[in-house]
Amino acid sequence: MKAYGRQSGPTVKKYILFDHDGVLVETEFWYYKAGERALADIGFTLDRDQYLGDMTQGLATWAQAIAAGIDEQTINWQREVRNVYYQEYLRSEDIEIDVVLETLDVLADEFRMGIITTSKPADFALMHESRSILDYMEFYLARDDYERAKPHPEPYLKGLQRVGATAAESVVVEDSARGLNSAVAAGIDCIVVANEFTASYDFSKATAKIATFKELPTATKDIAG
């Protein structure tokens, strides 16, 4: 995949483009569980390792079921069931990540920030009904705001356009391989924050890796040199 916009020489970082699920809210596991539950309803067992491998390629929950020959009509029905289960989890489960708001408050002094998410608009809105994360963000792009999803570079390239930034002025914060590959393909430095659910991914292309979100201010300073 072609890289875009990378520039040589030191450039001050002014913009942070955040992935959302697994970075700002802890939803990756619950999305998986919703799909697993929907497939279990029709007697299909979702293999977690294969699911994680499929996700690096931007494939959906249904890749395994399709490969097993489950018909399209059933898949479409269970997709709606999955969506219901997922929103049930979003309403009932704890999806907070420690120190996110405190860290965003620190970062807001130096950076303009936005969110680039693969979340559906309805799910995204539900997650933020009673949260103040968006108070720190200049904009967000949800799944309906671009055509080609991560790992394609389009989501992050559109993010750069939206905020009027160059790749060299920006840094992405991700937790998944497909998100990292999207950022790299867009020519943007990427900091990966550890997430237990995606720990098995290959993050060798990351500019930096951090164990917790609260390390982000230090990591951005290190990248800026």
Side-chain angles (χ1 to χ4, degrees):
M1 194 174 290
K2 184 178 178 181
Y4 297 82
R6 189 175 294 279
Q7 301 179 12
S8 60
T11 303
V12 175
K13 300 295 185 184
K14 302 176 183 176
Y15 307 91
I16 299 178
L17 302 179
F18 289 97
D19 176 49
H20 182 251
D21 298 87
V23 172
L24 297 172
V25 288
E26 194 60 270
T27 52
E28 298 271 21
F29 174 74
W30 297 112
Y31 192 76
Y32 162 76
K33 290 299 291 183
E36 180 187 52
R37 184 177 166 190
L39 286 169
D41 286 348
I42 58 171
F44 187 87
T45 300
L46 185 63
D47 181 272
R48 175 168 166 161
D49 291 339
Q50 183 62 47
Y51 170 88
L52 290 172
D54 289 341
M55 290 296 282
T56 66
Q57 305 301 316
L59 299 177
T61 302
W62 317 103
Q64 293 177 52
I66 292 169
I70 295 176
D71 65 274
E72 183 177 354
Q73 182 177 357
T74 300
I75 293 292
N76 288 339
W77 178 260
Q78 293 311 115
R79 182 178 285 109
E80 295 304 316
V81 172
R82 185 276 313 276
N83 293 344
V84 171
Y85 288 157
Y86 185 48
Q87 291 201 353
E88 175 187 315
Y89 290 139
L90 293 180
R91 291 187 178 97
S92 63
E93 300 297 337
D94 180 11
I95 62 171
E96 304 294 339
I97 296 179
D98 289 342
V99 306
V100 162
L101 292 178
E102 295 93 328
T103 304
L104 291 176
D105 198 52
V106 172
L107 293 168
D109 290 336
E110 296 185 41
F111 297 95
R112 294 167 62 187
M113 299 182 288
I115 295 172
I116 312 294
T117 180
T118 56
S119 288
K120 300 177 183 68
D123 295 337
F124 187 84
L126 178 59
M127 292 177 213
H128 293 283
E129 279 183 354
S130 59
R131 293 182 173 85
S132 54
I133 290 172
L134 296 185
D135 293 345
Y136 293 95
M137 301 298 161
E138 198 163 313
F139 74 98
Y140 66 85
L141 300 181
R143 183 60 188 91
D144 288 358
D145 294 318
Y146 48 84
E147 180 179 348
R148 292 161 293 188
K150 305 171 187 177
H152 196 277
E154 181 186 349
Y156 281 117
L157 292 173
K158 282 207 165 185
L160 294 179
Q161 293 171 359
R162 179 67 176 270
V163 78
T166 67
E169 294 173 316
S170 307
V171 61
V172 163
V173 181
E174 272 284 356
D175 76 312
S176 73
R178 66 175 177 171
L180 168 63
N181 290 335
S182 176
V184 169
I188 311 172
D189 288 327
C190 184
I191 298 171
V192 169
V193 59
N195 183 312
E196 183 179 355
F197 191 68
T198 58
S200 63
Y201 289 156
D202 176 10
F203 294 122
S204 58
K205 295 179 183 178
T207 307
K209 303 172 196 175
I210 56 178
T212 64
F213 195 84
K214 68 181 179 181
E215 297 173 33
L216 193 51
T218 299
T220 55
K221 287 184 173 63
D222 289 343
I223 288 177

